[in-house]
Amino acid sequence: AGEQTVNIVIRLIDEAVIESTDDEVTLTLTSIGANALLSQSGDLDHTLTIRDDDKVPADQLQIDLTWDLGEGEDIDQVDFDLFLATDVVIQNNTVTDAELYNASESQTGFETLWITEEDEDTEYYIVVNYSAGSVDADFTLNLNGGEGFYDESFTETFSASDVGSALFYGPLTKSGSSISRRASLIRLKTPLSY
């Protein structure tokens, strides 16, 4: 009571996903007390710009998986997992065997993995698995950084019937500090049972 000004603190949480644009959030004051006065009606809205400060790694490949169910939909309706696989065997355009090398299995709306200089020199496949859910879901896979590698992004959709299936992208070949790929990545959808 009696205060003339109020500060509203907005805390930002820096996540691992590399993005290349600023984000904007509009904050709207929807209810004020009967005796409160604002200098202008424009004071009810404020656009906060979150500046992009992400750095592309120079000595590793960062692989980010994000998903979106659309406006107003709860992200927790689905669970995607991100894996790196080695020793992938493909027969008749189907993955028949693979060794899961590394995994990101959080339930936060994004997953992140890296291929670093310390990782084994071999061929890797990126695996996006639709682990749980019952709705159609769009996801985006971003690859950033790494010597000899250029940044790229893929957007795909899993249908509700794809639960338990995975998309394999690859191969990515690591040799020392360099990571390369074929002219176009192989993309195969298959049940994940390894």
Side-chain angles (χ1 to χ4, degrees):
E3 283 197 43
Q4 298 295 307
T5 62
V6 173
N7 290 323
I8 300 172
V9 177
I10 307 296
R11 288 188 172 79
L12 302 180
I13 299 172
D14 195 10
E15 30 85 322
V17 177
I18 294 176
E19 299 165 298
S20 60
T21 59
D22 294 341
D23 289 316
E24 288 188 349
V25 178
T26 300
L27 307 171
T28 303
L29 184 60
T30 58
S31 176
I32 58 174
N35 295 323
L37 297 175
L38 296 173
S39 59
Q40 304 172 23
S41 62
D43 289 342
L44 296 174
D45 292 315
H46 178 74
T47 300
L48 172 68
T49 300
I50 304 169
R51 300 280 179 221
D52 173 38
D53 65 352
D54 297 335
K55 305 283 187 277
V56 175
D59 58 349
Q60 62 189 10
L61 178 65
Q62 182 168 328
I63 304 157
D64 298 323
L65 171 67
T66 59
W67 58 92
D68 184 9
L69 302 181
E71 190 173 335
E73 294 295 325
D74 183 358
I75 199 76
D76 294 331
Q77 290 183 73
V78 301
D79 182 23
F80 287 169
D81 292 320
L82 180 64
F83 302 100
L84 285 176
T86 59
D87 302 322
V88 174
V89 177
I90 300 172
Q91 295 176 337
N92 299 324
N93 219 26
T94 302
V95 175
T96 59
D97 197 14
E99 182 71 31
L100 295 181
Y101 177 78
N102 201 350
S104 175
E105 300 175 285
S106 68
Q107 297 179 352
T108 58
F110 71 90
E111 309 278 348
T112 299
L113 286 174
W114 297 267
I115 300 175
T116 69
E117 192 169 345
E118 289 77 36
D119 287 312
E120 179 183 350
D121 284 352
T122 190
E123 285 188 343
Y124 293 91
Y125 281 75
I126 300 165
V127 184
V128 178
N129 185 47
Y130 191 176
S131 303
S134 60
V135 297
D136 295 352
D138 296 332
F139 67 89
T140 301
L141 190 62
N142 291 303
L143 285 65
N144 295 283
E147 181 183 335
F149 200 90
Y150 59 89
D151 303 341
E152 56 190 323
S153 180
F154 309 95
T155 299
E156 302 274 354
T157 300
F158 274 122
S159 67
S161 63
D162 286 327
V163 174
S165 294
L167 278 165
F168 279 70
Y169 298 88
L172 305 174
T173 303
K174 181 192 171 291
S175 178
S177 62
S178 178
I179 299 169
S180 61
R181 70 170 181 84
R182 293 184 182 165
S184 61
L185 290 175
I186 296 171
R187 176 191 170 279
L188 295 170
K189 186 182 290 185
T190 186
L192 188 65
S193 57
Y194 311 106

